[in-house]
Amino acid sequence: MKRPFLVLALSLSVAGTTLFTGCQQKGGDAGKTTTPNTAVTADSGAVATTETSATSTPAATATPTTATAPNQKFGYINSAELLKVMPETKRAEANLEAFVKNLEKQFGGLQSEYQTKITEFQSQEKTMVDAVKETRIRALQDLEQRLQQSQVSGQQQVAKKREDLFKPILDKAEKAVKDVGKENGYDYIFDTNTGSFIYAKESHNIMPLVKAKLGIK
């Protein structure tokens, strides 16, 4: 009998995924959030300000170089560091870990049942008549299929659970950054973790000008 792939590949970490997709995708607003998996990559967890009159274009690097007019106000933040210090993140991580452990327990029971039946079949196979042997083989194949389906289902459940747990945290963090940007007169806020802008003042959105140039109403 073929032995199934029995490793439930479920990730428990929250390290490595971008938190905010950046303003480039929506003109003046930040992009949609994604579920986190963040890696600590910078020292700053607070908004910092820089005023510049440089003429270069934005680059997706650890420090932004941006074309600006005099007196434009720029800030930056490391979204990974921000998520790391939010108390909601630790609670979400603990909740996700408990959820995964429960799934692994269920999967382990099914795996144990399969291994037991495989052992029984192998020890009795030589004395079985063909009809009984075929029936036992079909039963083992059905159980193997259940194992594989359980693994796929478990991965999907973990992905959904992670999204359900972390989306409200991401939304809260992004809203806080945008509020700080508006309340403190920032033109742009740059995310050093993702290399993109989290916040951009709506007045800098050139979509209306480009539509007018193209004759689009």
Side-chain angles (χ1 to χ4, degrees):
M1 287 294 297
K2 184 181 74 170
R3 298 171 72 92
F5 179 68
L6 300 176
V7 178
L8 187 59
L10 305 175
S11 170
L12 297 181
S13 70
V14 265
T17 307
T18 57
L19 305 179
F20 310 124
T21 56
C23 293
Q24 297 95 324
Q25 298 177 5
K26 286 183 62 181
D29 290 330
K32 295 181 181 178
T33 59
T34 60
T35 56
N37 270 347
T38 59
V40 178
T41 57
D43 297 329
S44 175
V47 173
T49 308
T50 176
E51 295 186 5
T52 176
S53 57
T55 56
S56 58
T57 56
T61 58
T63 359
T65 305
T66 314
T68 73
N71 301 322
Q72 281 191 343
K73 191 174 181 181
F74 283 67
Y76 68 86
I77 191 171
N78 185 313
S79 59
E81 286 293 315
L82 176 60
L83 265 289
K84 182 181 177 182
V85 298
M86 291 177 68
E88 296 93 336
T89 300
K90 289 185 178 180
R91 291 195 293 268
E93 288 174 341
N95 195 326
L96 181 62
E97 184 174 357
F99 181 79
V100 170
K101 284 182 178 179
N102 184 53
L103 284 181
E104 288 178 335
K105 184 178 179 181
Q106 296 175 30
F107 185 81
L110 198 58
Q111 179 180 346
S112 179
E113 179 185 353
Y114 177 83
Q115 295 292 355
T116 299
K117 290 187 176 182
I118 280 285
T119 302
E120 290 177 354
F121 175 82
Q122 290 172 341
S123 65
Q124 300 169 9
E125 182 179 7
K126 292 180 180 180
T127 61
M128 289 180 188
V129 297
D130 289 345
V132 173
K133 186 175 180 179
E134 289 176 6
T135 300
R136 296 283 291 275
I137 288 175
R138 282 196 298 270
L140 286 169
Q141 289 173 337
D142 289 344
L143 185 54
E144 181 176 336
Q145 187 174 11
R146 285 172 55 199
L147 276 168
Q148 294 169 345
Q149 291 172 344
S150 178
Q151 180 178 337
V152 172
S153 174
Q155 292 170 342
Q156 293 172 344
Q157 289 179 62
V158 170
K160 185 178 186 307
K161 184 69 172 180
R162 182 185 289 113
E163 181 179 0
D164 292 343
L165 287 170
F166 286 101
K167 187 178 184 305
I169 302 173
L170 294 173
D171 290 345
K172 181 179 180 179
E174 186 172 4
K175 182 179 184 301
V177 172
K178 290 180 178 179
D179 288 347
V180 166
K182 293 174 183 177
E183 293 165 6
N184 294 273
Y186 285 95
D187 291 272
Y188 298 96
I189 295 177
F190 186 82
D191 184 358
T192 59
N193 183 55
T194 63
S196 61
F197 288 104
I198 300 174
Y199 169 80
K201 188 179 289 185
E202 182 58 34
S203 60
H204 297 315
N205 184 1
I206 67 169
M207 177 66 77
L209 298 176
V210 175
K211 287 172 66 176
K213 188 73 172 177
L214 295 171
I216 301 171
K217 294 184 180 180

